[in-house]
Amino acid sequence: MADAADGRAEDGAEAIEALLDEAEEHYRQGALDESAAAYEAILERDPDHIDALEWRGEIAVQQDDYETAAEMLGRARSLRGDKAFAEYTNLGLAYYELGRARDAVDALVRAIERDGGDLVSHSNLGKALYEYHHKVDAEDARRVASDWLRKFPDNPDARHIGAAVSGSAKPAVADADYVADVFNDYAPNFDEKIAELSYQAPEILAGLIASHLPKAAKDLTVLDAGCGTGLAGKHLRPYAASLVGVDLSEKMLAKAGDKALYDRLEKAELISFLGEGAHAYDLVAAADVLCYFGALDKAFVAFFHSLKPGGIVAFTVEKLPEDEAADGTYRLDPSGRYKHARPYLDRALASAGFAPLTVQDDTLRYEYGEPVAGIAVLARKPT
């Protein structure tokens, strides 16, 4: 009897080894479904096979199957123990995508404790912390964010979102590396995700522009500042003999290029780019771009510098109610975006030399089901 049992065990071990070889070969060839099936076959024979659990979880993340990823990686973590488990990056992402903000923050903090250079986990921790702050426990989110910023002051995500969530600092502008990282991450599904938020900034600006430039005659030099994937491009193209787009995110620019709307696309920091083009544009549009600038003085001066005499700038900002503006200027929110008070906009525009044509309140999009209040502005450079 013992010999028979030993034989069955040996056969079972050989079968698992064969399935492991099969799963690894499928994975090397990019056949994820087949690889996942082989790992599942292993788990039918041995539900506690840790390598199979971890690899099945890895594949699930790649396939955006976050429920399976959380189940597999959570079981592997339980079996290995917290100190030995190494897949916190994937587990944290799975929890975040499932809306499990507390679990996501815990996993991603453990990921960066294991590897402080893990940029993916830093980025995902920033997103998870915002959701944790908004939905679960604002006080604990501030504590975690403050600790993150203290331990990793040179990481762009910690430097910006750590400051935003903790409220411990108010940088004058979002870190360029942080902004590029955020939008490179969002780029593949950006248009679909932003549509789910009823995003209206490009349409709002299109309406303002049409009210002062009713004739779309394709005779202007136009800049789409912070063009992203080109959502404003279709509204600007009818005015443009030349349409230029500039953005920090290489992946967003690639999506914009696919729309075939632009004559030129440039990867650059906005103020530096504007500084290179004195009196270059008849129209500059910046839809949902200045929410990554706190202090607006340099941006407005750069817009003014880049416009031809009589040129127009159109932009949106998120609105900071005057009764919430402690110093009357702007606030960095836990989202990582800035809100601006109307009197501050008026002062900064006037200081730069602009004559406002239209300033109106509007709803830019919805977030967590709530309207995001904004201010849309059209201003002219004097002739």
Side-chain angles (χ1 to χ4, degrees), residues 269-293:
E269 191 277 326
L270 180 59
I271 293 179
S272 297
F273 179 84
L274 291 169
E276 296 172 359
H279 314 305
Y281 301 103
D282 299 289
L283 171 63
V284 174
D288 254 16
V289 175
L290 296 180
C291 57
Y292 292 99
F293 291 78

Side-chain angles (χ1 to χ4, degrees), residues 11-223:
D11 290 344
E14 290 177 356
I16 285 175
E17 284 298 319
L19 285 167
L20 280 171
D21 290 342
E22 179 184 337
E24 291 169 4
E25 181 61 26
H26 284 312
Y27 188 84
R28 281 194 294 269
Q29 295 178 1
L32 296 185
D33 288 341
E34 290 80 0
S35 183
Y39 283 121
E40 287 169 2
I42 293 169
L43 293 169
E44 287 178 3
R45 291 167 169 78
D46 180 2
D48 291 339
H49 195 289
I50 296 179
D51 288 341
L53 287 168
E54 291 180 343
W55 276 104
R56 182 64 187 93
E58 164 72 26
I59 292 169
V61 167
Q62 293 185 41
Q63 296 179 320
D64 298 334
D65 178 5
Y66 297 109
E67 288 188 6
T68 298
E71 178 189 355
M72 296 292 157
L73 296 174
R75 285 166 56 191
R77 177 184 180 181
S78 296
L79 291 166
R80 284 203 188 276
D82 283 348
K83 290 185 178 180
F85 183 69
E87 299 300 320
Y88 283 111
T89 295
N90 281 330
L91 182 59
L93 173 60
Y95 285 150
Y96 170 74
E97 293 290 348
L98 293 172
R100 295 171 59 176
R102 186 188 300 274
D103 292 332
V105 168
D106 171 72
L108 292 165
V109 165
R110 291 176 184 274
I112 62 174
E113 285 174 349
R114 290 179 61 87
D115 180 5
D118 181 356
L119 298 181
V120 172
S121 289
H122 280 288
S123 176
N124 288 335
L125 177 58
K127 291 182 285 189
L129 268 175
Y130 173 47
E131 187 160 315
Y132 186 42
H133 179 278
H134 185 81
K135 289 185 174 181
V136 184
D137 189 335
E139 182 177 353
D140 192 48
R142 287 191 289 269
R143 178 193 62 78
V144 173
S146 181
D147 190 54
W148 181 31
L149 178 59
R150 179 179 58 82
K151 290 179 177 177
F152 299 96
D154 296 328
N155 178 272
D157 293 281
R159 199 161 52 233
H160 187 71
I161 290 293
V165 174
S166 68
S168 59
K170 189 172 82 169
V173 64
D175 187 287
D177 290 337
Y178 161 77
V179 176
D181 176 60
V182 166
F183 285 100
N184 279 330
D185 188 41
Y186 281 136
N189 303 306
F190 182 79
D191 289 8
E192 295 80 4
K193 288 185 176 181
I194 207 75
E196 294 173 1
L197 304 179
S198 300
Y199 176 59
Q200 294 297 315
E203 288 74 17
I204 292 167
L205 292 187
L208 289 186
I209 293 166
S211 69
H212 287 272
L213 295 172
K215 184 181 179 182
K218 284 187 174 288
D219 58 354
L220 303 179
T221 303
V222 181
L223 175 66

